[in-house]
Amino acid sequence: MWTELLPIGRSSVSGGYRRYAWSGADLECRAWFRAQAETRGLTYEVDRNGNQWAWLGDPAAGGAVVTGSHLDSVPDGGAFDGPLGVVSSFAALDELRERGAAFDRPLAVVNFGDEEGARFGLACVGSRLAAGQLTKDKAYELRDADGVSLPQAMERAGYDPAAIGPDPERLARIGAFVELHVEQGRALDLSGDAVGIASAIWPHGRWRFDFHGEANHAGTTRLEDRRDPMLSYAETVLAARREARAAGALATFGKVSVEPNGVNAIASLVRGWLDSRAADQETLDRVVAGIEAAAAERAGRDGVDVRVTRESFTPVVEFQHALRDEVAKLLGGTAPVLPTGAGHDAGILSASAPTAMLFVRNPTGVSHSPAETAAEDDCLAGVTALADVLEGLACS
């Protein structure tokens, strides 16, 4: 399975992956998922929001144990973020069948669409729509860098965008959702454990900063006469680092666009996107407020207008203690429990169903990069751990 997925959407230049929602690479991954389901005799279906499901047993029976993750990527992302969870889910099902496991509850593997938000700027679109955390109207407003809307992209890919929206009946079928994911950090590497359990997801969000200045000639305009938004943006990037460091939080400007984007032109608009995360809501609010204040202060000095728009936000997710404790028990009580600053579909679904997460050791801690990796032995340990959990939850 891993070998089949590796070449899909991989850049020959960077070595990273460009599997964006509803793109050709995404459709290839979707075809792969369907083939895996059909090869195993599972019931395959696509829900109203484009999420893929592979069912063992009757979906309508309720109380289903669901596992899976996503197959899309960030720009030039790594091979493991998302796909490891999907591949491991199918592999865990194979292992359970080899064990002769007797299933008392339906079991499903899911591939949630557009988890990374690389194309339309909003993470976890598929699960947010299903959970009612993203309205159809707001989804229709999403556009990529080329101006293509989400419904247009879905339609071009052969899916019906008119059907998207909340899916409470489907989510009501889920008795427990367990997502396996490569760790995006080095906690397990430092502890010496191959597999860990998630305790919580830090609150996090994305904010767009628009700095409006005045376009002018770079070679003839005196420094004193400039209204240069690039200066305001640059100070805001530095302020983000200062505020995050002081609060023990995280703040990153990882995406920027410039108009008119000419070497010999002073910019008229600099638009930067902030990603910020913290262990608690109060700290996150304080960090973002500090960054906004620094942006406004510098923009005032530069004669620049600044506007800040919160584009997405996910509050702290404390995974259900009962399910988390059950997962820990099924793994022998030895797996470390750790928080994460990364968002996941499991976090979105936690408001609708009991959810839990397993992490597989990442020896470098590098993620969202072609350098992302995990050892084969650790991946196999993850499959065994997931199989043990699924057997404990779904089998007699």
Side-chain angles (χ1 to χ4, degrees), residues 172-220:
R173 300 174 180 175
I174 302 175
F177 175 63
V178 181
E179 180 175 4
L180 179 144
H181 204 280
V182 66
E183 188 194 0
Q184 295 167 294
R186 290 191 59 212
L188 292 175
D189 181 59
L190 295 173
S191 71
D193 296 283
V195 179
I197 302 169
S199 60
I201 297 176
W202 283 11
H204 56 279
R206 299 179 182 185
W207 289 261
R208 190 185 75 236
F209 285 66
D210 295 333
F211 298 92
H212 294 267
E214 181 179 60
N216 216 326
H217 197 297
T220 62

Side-chain angles (χ1 to χ4, degrees), residues 314-328:
T314 302
V316 63
V317 173
E318 186 79 21
F319 288 111
Q320 188 194 70
H321 289 197
L323 179 58
R324 187 182 71 194
D325 293 346
E326 179 66 14
V327 168

Side-chain angles (χ1 to χ4, degrees), residues 35 56 82 122 135 139 234 240 294 322 370 380 386 395:
L56 177 67
L122 179 65
T135 66
L380 292 174
L386 181 59
C395 303

Side-chain angles (χ1 to χ4, degrees), residues 2 32 79 94 112 116 154 197 230 236 273 282 301 338:
W2 196 252
W32 173 89
D94 294 342
F112 284 109
E116 294 290 7
M154 290 184 69
I197 302 169
M230 190 65 76
T236 304
W273 281 264
E282 181 181 353
R301 285 195 281 140
L338 56 146

